[in-house]
Amino acid sequence: MPKVKTNSGAKKRFRVTGPGQIKRHHAFHSHILTKKTKKQKRNLLGETLVDRSNLKQVRDLLCLR
């Protein structure tokens, strides 16, 4: 059997934590920032965990299953 390739776009966008959870960046913080409030932009900074509903898809892209 050939090796399964990791999706190149996914490996740039997701990181796996020590316990095996997957981190992601918030969307909507790259441009058109003038109409967004300071609070909204501040809350879009940083990282969060991938939701349970999307976890299977992301794991398949990263070949973690």
Side-chain angles (χ1 to χ4, degrees):
M1 289 292 296
K3 291 184 179 179
V4 181
K5 287 191 175 181
T6 302
N7 183 283
S8 296
K11 68 184 175 185
K12 297 170 191 172
R13 287 171 170 83
F14 300 105
R15 295 280 178 261
V16 181
T17 63
Q21 296 174 314
I22 300 174
K23 292 194 302 187
R24 67 169 178 87
H25 286 288
H26 283 282
F28 306 111
H29 195 261
S30 57
H31 59 93
I32 314 176
L33 298 173
T34 53
K35 62 176 77 171
K36 294 173 185 152
T37 63
K38 291 179 186 176
K39 180 179 179 180
Q40 189 176 2
K41 290 184 275 192
R42 184 173 63 244
N43 289 334
L44 290 173
L45 283 171
E47 295 178 331
T48 186
L49 297 175
V50 172
D51 193 66
R52 272 185 48 224
S53 59
N54 300 322
L55 202 54
K56 182 180 180 299
Q57 296 160 326
V58 175
R59 284 186 163 288
D60 286 343
L61 291 172
L62 296 174
C63 300
L64 296 175
R65 289 172 44 90

